[in-house]
């Protein structure tokens, strides 16, 4: 299993920006597919963005397309989620999750992950 540690959450007003970071460690074969998953109170978890570390291919939920950007640093040990034009409905606990996959097609289809971070809270006020 990978070890994941999130940081960067906080409280902002609508229209503001935040950048979340996820430090990823452990066997690269178990964590080359990394996603940001959020959960609002009373709602199901939503996968908002995902990246296959091997080739950098990404995918976004429709609710965040064009506003959020997932990226990784050069050594692939940190995955970021840049969030722009935040809305109150973006409020929730944001988790970093990881799993090992053979290619980006398998990664982009993934809905379950073997490794999770502790989460970081994002609150957007109107």
């Amino acid at each position: 299993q990978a070890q994941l540690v999130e940081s960067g959450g906080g409280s902002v007003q609508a229209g503001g920006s935040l950048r979340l970071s996820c430090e990823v460690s452990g066997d690269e074969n178990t964590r080359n597919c990394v996603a940001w998953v959020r959960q609002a109170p009373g709602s199901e978890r939503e996968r908002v963005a995902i990246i296959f570390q091997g080739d950098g291919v990404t995918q976004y939920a429709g609710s965040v397309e064009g506003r959020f950007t997932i990226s990784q640093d050069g050594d692939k040990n940190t995955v970021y989620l840049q969030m722009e034009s935040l809305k109150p409905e973006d409020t929730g606990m944001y988790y970093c999750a990881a799993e090992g996959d053979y290619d980006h097609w398998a990664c982009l289809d993934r809905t379950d992950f073997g490794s999770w971070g502790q989460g970081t809270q994002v609150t957007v006020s109107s």
Side-chain angles (χ1 to χ4, degrees):
Q1 278 191 333
Q3 292 76 50
L4 309 170
V5 179
E6 304 97 332
S7 61
S11 298
V12 295
Q13 290 191 325
S17 301
L18 282 174
R19 188 176 81 158
L20 307 183
S21 298
C22 174
E23 294 184 15
V24 187
S25 60
D27 184 350
E28 288 190 10
N29 291 325
T30 68
R31 49 92 157 180
N32 60 3
C33 178
V34 182
W36 286 97
V37 179
R38 71 183 179 190
Q39 186 166 25
S43 299
E44 294 187 354
R45 285 181 175 175
E46 178 187 19
R47 195 192 81 182
V48 297
I50 194 165
I51 185 168
F52 182 64
Q53 292 194 302
D55 56 15
V57 172
T58 61
Q59 190 177 73
Y60 299 90
S63 58
V64 307
E65 184 85 50
R67 300 187 298 120
F68 290 12
T69 303
I70 189 170
S71 62
Q72 60 185 350
D73 65 357
D75 61 11
K76 302 177 184 177
N77 288 331
T78 305
V79 174
Y80 304 99
L81 185 68
Q82 180 68 41
M83 305 185 294
E84 306 283 351
S85 303
L86 283 162
K87 304 175 181 180
E89 51 264 43
D90 293 319
T91 294
M93 186 69 78
Y94 282 69
Y95 298 91
C96 184
E99 187 55 79
D101 278 311
Y102 290 110
D103 57 34
H104 68 244
W105 300 112
C107 177
L108 299 187
D109 281 343
R110 180 167 291 285
T111 58
D112 61 315
F113 300 89
S115 301
W116 292 82
Q118 81 287 352
T120 186
Q121 178 68 35
V122 171
T123 302
V124 185
S125 58
S126 57

